[in-house]
Every structure is written in structure tokens, then in C-alpha cells.
Amino acid sequence: MGYIELNVLNNDQSPQVMGIDLGTTNSLAATWKDGHPVVIKPEHSNSGSVPSVIHISEDGNVIVGQKALDQATVDPRHTIFSIKRMMGRGLADIQDDLEAFPFPISEDENGLLNIDVHGRQYTPQELSSLILLRVHDLGCRAMGGAEIQRAVITVPAYFDDTQRQATRDSARLAGIDVMRIINEPTAASLAYGLDQSASGNVAVYDLGGGTFDISILSIEDGVFHVLSTNGDTHLGGDDFDRALAKLVLDQLEGKLSSDELADPALQQAARLAAEKCKVKLSEQPEAELHLVLPDSGINVRRNVTREEFEALVSPLVQRTLDCCLQALADANLEVGEVAEVVMVGGSTRMPVVREGVEGFFKRLPHTELNPDEVVAIGAAIQAHILSGGSRDLLLMDVTPLSLGLETVGGAVSKIIARNSTIPCQATEGFTTYADNQTGIDFNILQGERELAQDCRSLGRFKLTGIPPMPAGLARIAVRFHVDADGLLTVTAREESTGVKSSIEVKPKHGLTDSAVEQMLEDSLTNARADFEAGRNAGLVTELGTMIHATEKSLPNVIDQLDPEQLADIREAIDAAREASDAKEKDGKSLQSARDALEQATMPLAAVLMDSVAKAALSGKSLSDV
Ligand code: ADP
Ligand code: MG
């Protein structure tokens, strides 16, 4: 058996990370591949955008994305959209939105919003986590079934602490480990590499589906500061759609009764037709606005020129520019002091918007990247940097050396990689390796080497009070958190009981720059030997656990195994002992001893699993088996 207990330590560090743009209208993920950020698109699709919409059916079936959006006209009562507007908010904060929501929203005694769907109450965090799950799942599948657990998620620059925390919580509900929450305008600037190319002020103009944000940032030595934000939470592409839809609806006036005109299905169909026409007009000088509603016998066509459209929406563009003026004033800047302008959001594809912005800032804005992808791309770049990858030049404040823990056998499990931008945090799962183990000693290490003895110990602490249970069952989450000052706090918590212990260490102090250099150099020259020593130490531990587990469970099931199977197991145990006890550890023999033991104990594992299952059914605890 042993195989189950083999996960003594979960130090498998997946190098793949994701950046997620969790939008009001659309959400999108990107990752890092072959030295570049790439947007994640499902097969046979030219866009990775997932509409941030959820439909929940009576039997609790949840659909997210385009199919849910299709339900908006059919079943509006149970189709939830604009969840981002509710994140970390109370009823009073969203008064302006309530009328537009066809689903009932209330506030519970803790001030948490509840959205009622088929009588069940959902918090915005839960709903948002469903969108994250979907985007994350698409990402993992597009990456060939990879399990990407860690992600950077973006939020508007104006999000306050509660809204950011709510975003974090929804990620937690989705099983995503948030590496960092970053501002959308910062992500967009990262996508354009502005952190590396320039010092100065940057204006990020973000016109999405339902919201407009203008952020003025300053970049200094690769560090971003938000100087001011402005915008309109009720101004976006939807308003452009409505203006256009009015054209056809006006044409129907007189032909339809006012009740027929107010029909939500007609309104929605007109809006969708208008959006199609609007998108075409971004590419061509003229497009058809075609509204069909077969059930009502409505079929209206109308040609719209770009000129006509632009005249119609120019007040909307002007409103965004008024916000820009205010943002500049708040940042105490003149237009001429803005060095770069970045365009974000699907609506900035409209030429009328680009021209308006160019005229206002008197410079050509950045539009080289897809405006609906830049935020996700920037998030992926940040995720890549946080996971230890670097770009040519890294100017952010970073951890100089990796931080980790000593694991059984003297190996090192790295938890925060070298060069992670601070503040940062990471959580890793551990378990006990001996039966009834009630305490664990943690040795916090700093360095790049694979063996604990070659790294610097920053401190030790003990987690005690773990209830006695079989090896491998305890779930211990160890969290490393480095704050903006480089202060490290390590917290260990046993999940089933909540027993907790923590220590604060100062990794930055005590190590001089030259000591850091030396440790890095050592790790390079010794990397190969280290790698082997580390792997061998791990294998020896693994073999020890396997032998122990096998010998312990063998007597209970000996009569259920063939003599031949028994002989195989005994032989494999002897070989494993020999390889582990050898003075000069040999990686190859350790590995083959391990594989042979695993192979030989398979029938034993099967029998054991069987009896565990039976015991569980009859209510016995695992330790009685
Ligand atoms: P959000 O950040 O609010 O989630 P997006 O950045 O995805 O939203 O922007 C969505 C908006 O962009 C929608 O109103 C959509 O109609 C609009 N849009 C997308 N592509 C185009 C285009 N080619 N021309 C004009 N508008 C577009
Ligand atoms: Mg957006």
C-alpha cells in the first residue's frame, strides 16, 4: 500500500500560474507559455471572453457564460449579471442598480447581500466564484488539463478593502490560491511593459460594457502608484447599444402599442441587434441594424452609417472625457504631463472613442494589444513574475532568496520563490508522517539549495495539539506571508481542528547583499549535486514510509493475499531496505526499489481500500481497521 501515505508532503510546486480579469460584463484568463503571456481561448474559438453571467435552473443546475447570457431573455428572473457591482457592498451601495436587476436582492443581519434564486440565497462571493470556476476550468483545459491553482486576479483601482476581500473570498470558494489582487489599470500598463520602459505618468482609459474608469498612475522605478481615479459606474458599451436600439424602436412607435413596445423581450432583442451593428461599425463605414422577433412578427432593417452612429453617441464620449479632466485635476497634472495613454475595454475599439481620447490627451493612445485582453495579459505577467519567473528587467521590490520549509529527510520545500514581488503570500499543504503524531516542528529556511543543511534557517516553531490520527490524515496548511516591508509571518493550521501556531521572522535583515549573492552562486554551482541529494533524501523518506505502512498492515490482510503476492511484497521490502541503507545513495536503485515496492503492494492496497470502505460503511473509524 503506502501509495496513499506517500503524499507525506505535498511539495509539488506547479510552475503554471494564471491571470484572471474578473469583469463586470466579461471575464478572461491568460497564462504564461514559452516566454510570453497568452490569452486562454477554448478550442475552436477566437475569443476567450466568458460573459460574467450565471443562470441557475430550478433543479440547481448552474450554467455560466454565453449559454447563461442566452437565458437572459428567456428566464431573466434566474439569470444573474453584473455581480461585480455587488461584491463587498451593502444594499445602500447598490440602490442605483436595484431597478435594473430582475432578481430579488436582500441584506442579511451581517450586512451581506443575498440574491434569491429559486428560494435559495446566494452571496455575491458565491456567484462570483462560479464565474471564476468556469474561467479557471477553461484555462486548465486549454493548458492540456494542467492543474493551475495559483492566480493573480484584477480589480478596479477604486475597489476598497472590503471589495478586494470579497474578491479574494470568491477565489477561495473556487479553490483558487490568489497570489495577488492587482489593479486593472496596473495590469494593463504591465501588459504594455510600461513598468520597464518609462518613468512618468500614465492614463489608463477603460471603457467596458457597463462601466467607465479612468486611472492616472505614476510609475517610478517599476513601482506603480495610483494618483487618482474617476469614472462613471453607469456608463459603458451598453449605453451605446441603447442609443442605437432607440433608432429601430422609434421606427416601431405608432405601429405597436406602448405595452408591446415595453415588452422586455423586444427591448432585449433590439439591444442585441444594436450591439451587433455597433461592433460592425468599428470595422466598416456602414452596417445594417436588423431587428427580428418572429413571435411578434417584427422584422425591421435599417442601415446605419458610422457618421450617424458617432453623432448619436458623441455625448457619451464627451462624458468620459469630462471624467478624464476631473481625474487629471485630482492628480494635480496638466494634460502635457501624461506620458502614455493606455486603452482598455471592448468599447475602446470604437474609432469615435479612440479619436476622442487622442484629441483630449493630445497623443496617440496604446491600442496595439486587444483592449479586451490587456488586463488578463497584465495579470498573467504579474503571476509569472510572482511565481519566480522574471522578465528582462525587474524593478519591483522582491524577495531576494526563496523561502521554504524543511521537510522530512532534510529536503527543502520552497514556498515563496526567489524574486517574488512583495507583498506576497503562498499556502502549502502538509500532513503527518507518523501515526498518532501530535506535533510538527517547522524549520523556516531561506536559500536556493535543495537540502536544508545548505540553506539558512530563519527560525523554528512547533505546531502542537494535533489530534492523534493515522499518518497522512492531518491537513496542515502552512501559510507564508511577506508584507510590503519584507516581514515574513508563517502560520500553520491544522484544518480539521483549527489548531494554529505562528511565528514572525525578518528575512530581509541579517543577510547582506553579498551573502545573498554567495548563496545564489553556491546554488548554481551545486545545483546538480543538490538536486540529486534532495531527490535521494526524498526517496529514502518515501521508502521508509512505504515499508512501515506495508509491514504494519500486512498482518491484518495476510490471509487475503496469494502466497506469490506475499513473496513479491517481502522481496520488494528487502530490496527497498537495502537501497535506503546503502552508504552511498544511488538515485537509480532508490527509484527502482520504490517502483518495485509500489508494484508489489498494489494487491495489498486493493484489499486495504476494500476494508477501509467496509469499515466506513459500518461506522468504524480508520484507526480500528
Ligand atoms: P467589462 O470590462 O465591463 O467586463 P469588456 O471590456 O469586455 O467589459 O467590454 C464589453 C463591451 O465592449 C461591450 O459593451 C461590447 O459591446 C463592447 N465591444 C466589444 N467589441 C467591440 C467592438 N469591436 N466595437 C465596439 N464595442 C465593442
Ligand atoms: Mg474590464
PDB file of all heavy atoms in Angstrom, residues 123-145:
ATOM      1  N   THR A 123     -24.729  34.520  -2.002  1.00  0.00           N
ATOM      2  CA  THR A 123     -23.976  35.757  -1.788  1.00  0.00           C
ATOM      3  C   THR A 123     -23.255  36.097  -3.092  1.00  0.00           C
ATOM      4  O   THR A 123     -22.991  35.218  -3.910  1.00  0.00           O
ATOM      5  CB  THR A 123     -22.926  35.589  -0.681  1.00  0.00           C
ATOM      6  OG1 THR A 123     -22.014  34.557  -1.076  1.00  0.00           O
ATOM      7  CG2 THR A 123     -23.567  35.220   0.640  1.00  0.00           C
ATOM      8  N   PRO A 124     -22.914  37.395  -3.277  1.00  0.00           N
ATOM      9  CA  PRO A 124     -22.157  37.766  -4.480  1.00  0.00           C
ATOM     10  C   PRO A 124     -20.851  36.972  -4.576  1.00  0.00           C
ATOM     11  O   PRO A 124     -20.428  36.593  -5.675  1.00  0.00           O
ATOM     12  CB  PRO A 124     -21.873  39.253  -4.268  1.00  0.00           C
ATOM     13  CG  PRO A 124     -22.968  39.728  -3.372  1.00  0.00           C
ATOM     14  CD  PRO A 124     -23.290  38.575  -2.477  1.00  0.00           C
ATOM     15  N   GLN A 125     -20.241  36.699  -3.425  1.00  0.00           N
ATOM     16  CA  GLN A 125     -18.990  35.938  -3.426  1.00  0.00           C
ATOM     17  C   GLN A 125     -19.190  34.552  -4.040  1.00  0.00           C
ATOM     18  O   GLN A 125     -18.376  34.084  -4.822  1.00  0.00           O
ATOM     19  CB  GLN A 125     -18.440  35.775  -2.005  1.00  0.00           C
ATOM     20  CG  GLN A 125     -17.822  37.030  -1.422  1.00  0.00           C
ATOM     21  CD  GLN A 125     -18.832  37.900  -0.701  1.00  0.00           C
ATOM     22  OE1 GLN A 125     -20.004  37.943  -1.060  1.00  0.00           O
ATOM     23  NE2 GLN A 125     -18.391  38.608   0.317  1.00  0.00           N
ATOM     24  N   GLU A 126     -20.276  33.885  -3.638  1.00  0.00           N
ATOM     25  CA  GLU A 126     -20.555  32.552  -4.183  1.00  0.00           C
ATOM     26  C   GLU A 126     -20.760  32.614  -5.687  1.00  0.00           C
ATOM     27  O   GLU A 126     -20.233  31.791  -6.440  1.00  0.00           O
ATOM     28  CB  GLU A 126     -21.851  31.995  -3.580  1.00  0.00           C
ATOM     29  CG  GLU A 126     -21.711  31.325  -2.245  1.00  0.00           C
ATOM     30  CD  GLU A 126     -23.083  30.947  -1.712  1.00  0.00           C
ATOM     31  OE1 GLU A 126     -23.797  31.831  -1.197  1.00  0.00           O
ATOM     32  OE2 GLU A 126     -23.460  29.775  -1.840  1.00  0.00           O
ATOM     33  N   LEU A 127     -21.569  33.598  -6.117  1.00  0.00           N
ATOM     34  CA  LEU A 127     -21.871  33.699  -7.547  1.00  0.00           C
ATOM     35  C   LEU A 127     -20.610  34.016  -8.338  1.00  0.00           C
ATOM     36  O   LEU A 127     -20.342  33.430  -9.379  1.00  0.00           O
ATOM     37  CB  LEU A 127     -22.944  34.777  -7.766  1.00  0.00           C
ATOM     38  CG  LEU A 127     -24.315  34.420  -7.169  1.00  0.00           C
ATOM     39  CD1 LEU A 127     -25.234  35.618  -7.145  1.00  0.00           C
ATOM     40  CD2 LEU A 127     -24.950  33.272  -7.954  1.00  0.00           C
ATOM     41  N   SER A 128     -19.836  34.946  -7.791  1.00  0.00           N
ATOM     42  CA  SER A 128     -18.611  35.315  -8.467  1.00  0.00           C
ATOM     43  C   SER A 128     -17.658  34.121  -8.549  1.00  0.00           C
ATOM     44  O   SER A 128     -16.939  33.942  -9.540  1.00  0.00           O
ATOM     45  CB  SER A 128     -17.989  36.474  -7.698  1.00  0.00           C
ATOM     46  OG  SER A 128     -16.790  36.829  -8.246  1.00  0.00           O
ATOM     47  N   SER A 129     -17.685  33.276  -7.521  1.00  0.00           N
ATOM     48  CA  SER A 129     -16.798  32.112  -7.537  1.00  0.00           C
ATOM     49  C   SER A 129     -17.191  31.152  -8.660  1.00  0.00           C
ATOM     50  O   SER A 129     -16.350  30.444  -9.208  1.00  0.00           O
ATOM     51  CB  SER A 129     -16.792  31.396  -6.188  1.00  0.00           C
ATOM     52  OG  SER A 129     -17.913  30.563  -6.062  1.00  0.00           O
ATOM     53  N   LEU A 130     -18.473  31.151  -9.017  1.00  0.00           N
ATOM     54  CA  LEU A 130     -18.911  30.281 -10.120  1.00  0.00           C
ATOM     55  C   LEU A 130     -18.309  30.754 -11.440  1.00  0.00           C
ATOM     56  O   LEU A 130     -17.936  29.946 -12.299  1.00  0.00           O
ATOM     57  CB  LEU A 130     -20.444  30.273 -10.211  1.00  0.00           C
ATOM     58  CG  LEU A 130     -21.174  29.679  -8.998  1.00  0.00           C
ATOM     59  CD1 LEU A 130     -22.673  29.889  -9.116  1.00  0.00           C
ATOM     60  CD2 LEU A 130     -20.856  28.197  -8.861  1.00  0.00           C
ATOM     61  N   ILE A 131     -18.198  32.074 -11.593  1.00  0.00           N
ATOM     62  CA  ILE A 131     -17.569  32.619 -12.811  1.00  0.00           C
ATOM     63  C   ILE A 131     -16.082  32.281 -12.812  1.00  0.00           C
ATOM     64  O   ILE A 131     -15.528  31.829 -13.812  1.00  0.00           O
ATOM     65  CB  ILE A 131     -17.785  34.138 -12.889  1.00  0.00           C
ATOM     66  CG1 ILE A 131     -19.272  34.428 -13.045  1.00  0.00           C
ATOM     67  CG2 ILE A 131     -16.997  34.740 -14.047  1.00  0.00           C
ATOM     68  CD1 ILE A 131     -19.641  35.876 -12.876  1.00  0.00           C
ATOM     69  N   LEU A 132     -15.456  32.476 -11.651  1.00  0.00           N
ATOM     70  CA  LEU A 132     -14.032  32.144 -11.548  1.00  0.00           C
ATOM     71  C   LEU A 132     -13.786  30.674 -11.859  1.00  0.00           C
ATOM     72  O   LEU A 132     -12.848  30.317 -12.555  1.00  0.00           O
ATOM     73  CB  LEU A 132     -13.519  32.466 -10.144  1.00  0.00           C
ATOM     74  CG  LEU A 132     -13.200  33.931  -9.872  1.00  0.00           C
ATOM     75  CD1 LEU A 132     -12.836  34.135  -8.412  1.00  0.00           C
ATOM     76  CD2 LEU A 132     -12.054  34.401 -10.765  1.00  0.00           C
ATOM     77  N   LEU A 133     -14.656  29.824 -11.317  1.00  0.00           N
ATOM     78  CA  LEU A 133     -14.522  28.382 -11.553  1.00  0.00           C
ATOM     79  C   LEU A 133     -14.532  28.081 -13.041  1.00  0.00           C
ATOM     80  O   LEU A 133     -13.726  27.312 -13.548  1.00  0.00           O
ATOM     81  CB  LEU A 133     -15.703  27.639 -10.906  1.00  0.00           C
ATOM     82  CG  LEU A 133     -15.500  27.065  -9.519  1.00  0.00           C
ATOM     83  CD1 LEU A 133     -16.786  26.407  -9.052  1.00  0.00           C
ATOM     84  CD2 LEU A 133     -14.373  26.034  -9.527  1.00  0.00           C
ATOM     85  N   ARG A 134     -15.473  28.716 -13.732  1.00  0.00           N
ATOM     86  CA  ARG A 134     -15.643  28.469 -15.163  1.00  0.00           C
ATOM     87  C   ARG A 134     -14.406  28.938 -15.947  1.00  0.00           C
ATOM     88  O   ARG A 134     -13.869  28.198 -16.767  1.00  0.00           O
ATOM     89  CB  ARG A 134     -16.893  29.217 -15.627  1.00  0.00           C
ATOM     90  CG  ARG A 134     -17.066  29.304 -17.095  1.00  0.00           C
ATOM     91  CD  ARG A 134     -17.831  28.105 -17.620  1.00  0.00           C
ATOM     92  NE  ARG A 134     -17.961  28.206 -19.063  1.00  0.00           N
ATOM     93  CZ  ARG A 134     -17.773  27.209 -19.890  1.00  0.00           C
ATOM     94  NH1 ARG A 134     -17.462  26.031 -19.419  1.00  0.00           N
ATOM     95  NH2 ARG A 134     -17.907  27.373 -21.177  1.00  0.00           N
ATOM     96  N   VAL A 135     -13.966  30.169 -15.650  1.00  0.00           N
ATOM     97  CA  VAL A 135     -12.816  30.726 -16.360  1.00  0.00           C
ATOM     98  C   VAL A 135     -11.567  29.901 -16.049  1.00  0.00           C
ATOM     99  O   VAL A 135     -10.773  29.574 -16.928  1.00  0.00           O
ATOM    100  CB  VAL A 135     -12.603  32.200 -15.939  1.00  0.00           C
ATOM    101  CG1 VAL A 135     -11.321  32.742 -16.518  1.00  0.00           C
ATOM    102  CG2 VAL A 135     -13.778  33.040 -16.396  1.00  0.00           C
ATOM    103  N   HIS A 136     -11.431  29.540 -14.795  1.00  0.00           N
ATOM    104  CA  HIS A 136     -10.285  28.760 -14.349  1.00  0.00           C
ATOM    105  C   HIS A 136     -10.289  27.386 -15.013  1.00  0.00           C
ATOM    106  O   HIS A 136      -9.271  26.890 -15.495  1.00  0.00           O
ATOM    107  CB  HIS A 136     -10.343  28.637 -12.829  1.00  0.00           C
ATOM    108  CG  HIS A 136      -9.252  27.799 -12.257  1.00  0.00           C
ATOM    109  ND1 HIS A 136      -9.464  26.523 -11.794  1.00  0.00           N
ATOM    110  CD2 HIS A 136      -7.940  28.042 -12.091  1.00  0.00           C
ATOM    111  CE1 HIS A 136      -8.323  26.023 -11.363  1.00  0.00           C
ATOM    112  NE2 HIS A 136      -7.383  26.920 -11.533  1.00  0.00           N
ATOM    113  N   ASP A 137     -11.457  26.782 -15.073  1.00  0.00           N
ATOM    114  CA  ASP A 137     -11.593  25.458 -15.667  1.00  0.00           C
ATOM    115  C   ASP A 137     -11.254  25.502 -17.161  1.00  0.00           C
ATOM    116  O   ASP A 137     -10.541  24.640 -17.674  1.00  0.00           O
ATOM    117  CB  ASP A 137     -13.024  24.970 -15.448  1.00  0.00           C
ATOM    118  CG  ASP A 137     -13.252  23.615 -16.077  1.00  0.00           C
ATOM    119  OD1 ASP A 137     -12.484  22.701 -15.761  1.00  0.00           O
ATOM    120  OD2 ASP A 137     -14.173  23.485 -16.906  1.00  0.00           O
ATOM    121  N   LEU A 138     -11.764  26.517 -17.851  1.00  0.00           N
ATOM    122  CA  LEU A 138     -11.430  26.686 -19.277  1.00  0.00           C
ATOM    123  C   LEU A 138      -9.923  26.778 -19.441  1.00  0.00           C
ATOM    124  O   LEU A 138      -9.344  26.173 -20.338  1.00  0.00           O
ATOM    125  CB  LEU A 138     -12.048  27.977 -19.813  1.00  0.00           C
ATOM    126  CG  LEU A 138     -13.487  27.926 -20.295  1.00  0.00           C
ATOM    127  CD1 LEU A 138     -13.917  29.303 -20.772  1.00  0.00           C
ATOM    128  CD2 LEU A 138     -13.614  26.918 -21.430  1.00  0.00           C
ATOM    129  N   GLY A 139      -9.309  27.552 -18.545  1.00  0.00           N
ATOM    130  CA  GLY A 139      -7.866  27.739 -18.594  1.00  0.00           C
ATOM    131  C   GLY A 139      -7.128  26.430 -18.413  1.00  0.00           C
ATOM    132  O   GLY A 139      -6.229  26.102 -19.180  1.00  0.00           O
ATOM    133  N   CYS A 140      -7.526  25.671 -17.386  1.00  0.00           N
ATOM    134  CA  CYS A 140      -6.832  24.412 -17.116  1.00  0.00           C
ATOM    135  C   CYS A 140      -6.989  23.466 -18.294  1.00  0.00           C
ATOM    136  O   CYS A 140      -6.055  22.769 -18.681  1.00  0.00           O
ATOM    137  CB  CYS A 140      -7.376  23.768 -15.840  1.00  0.00           C
ATOM    138  SG  CYS A 140      -6.930  24.688 -14.368  1.00  0.00           S
ATOM    139  N   ARG A 141      -8.183  23.452 -18.877  1.00  0.00           N
ATOM    140  CA  ARG A 141      -8.399  22.548 -20.007  1.00  0.00           C
ATOM    141  C   ARG A 141      -7.604  22.986 -21.230  1.00  0.00           C
ATOM    142  O   ARG A 141      -7.021  22.157 -21.924  1.00  0.00           O
ATOM    143  CB  ARG A 141      -9.885  22.449 -20.328  1.00  0.00           C
ATOM    144  CG  ARG A 141     -10.542  21.416 -19.407  1.00  0.00           C
ATOM    145  CD  ARG A 141     -11.890  21.041 -19.885  1.00  0.00           C
ATOM    146  NE  ARG A 141     -12.856  22.059 -19.478  1.00  0.00           N
ATOM    147  CZ  ARG A 141     -14.014  22.236 -20.083  1.00  0.00           C
ATOM    148  NH1 ARG A 141     -14.324  21.521 -21.137  1.00  0.00           N
ATOM    149  NH2 ARG A 141     -14.843  23.143 -19.640  1.00  0.00           N
ATOM    150  N   ALA A 142      -7.565  24.299 -21.445  1.00  0.00           N
ATOM    151  CA  ALA A 142      -6.807  24.795 -22.604  1.00  0.00           C
ATOM    152  C   ALA A 142      -5.318  24.505 -22.447  1.00  0.00           C
ATOM    153  O   ALA A 142      -4.583  24.423 -23.421  1.00  0.00           O
ATOM    154  CB  ALA A 142      -7.052  26.284 -22.788  1.00  0.00           C
ATOM    155  N   MET A 143      -4.884  24.365 -21.198  1.00  0.00           N
ATOM    156  CA  MET A 143      -3.473  24.066 -20.958  1.00  0.00           C
ATOM    157  C   MET A 143      -3.248  22.557 -20.896  1.00  0.00           C
ATOM    158  O   MET A 143      -2.316  22.087 -20.244  1.00  0.00           O
ATOM    159  CB  MET A 143      -3.004  24.709 -19.646  1.00  0.00           C
ATOM    160  CG  MET A 143      -3.083  26.219 -19.625  1.00  0.00           C
ATOM    161  SD  MET A 143      -1.993  26.973 -20.831  1.00  0.00           S
ATOM    162  CE  MET A 143      -0.410  26.665 -20.053  1.00  0.00           C
ATOM    163  N   GLY A 144      -4.126  21.804 -21.507  1.00  0.00           N
ATOM    164  CA  GLY A 144      -3.949  20.363 -21.585  1.00  0.00           C
ATOM    165  C   GLY A 144      -4.240  19.654 -20.281  1.00  0.00           C
ATOM    166  O   GLY A 144      -3.587  18.679 -19.938  1.00  0.00           O
ATOM    167  N   GLY A 145      -5.212  20.159 -19.542  1.00  0.00           N
ATOM    168  CA  GLY A 145      -5.613  19.508 -18.303  1.00  0.00           C
ATOM    169  C   GLY A 145      -4.695  19.798 -17.141  1.00  0.00           C
ATOM    170  O   GLY A 145      -4.689  19.087 -16.150  1.00  0.00           O
TER     171      GLY A 145
END
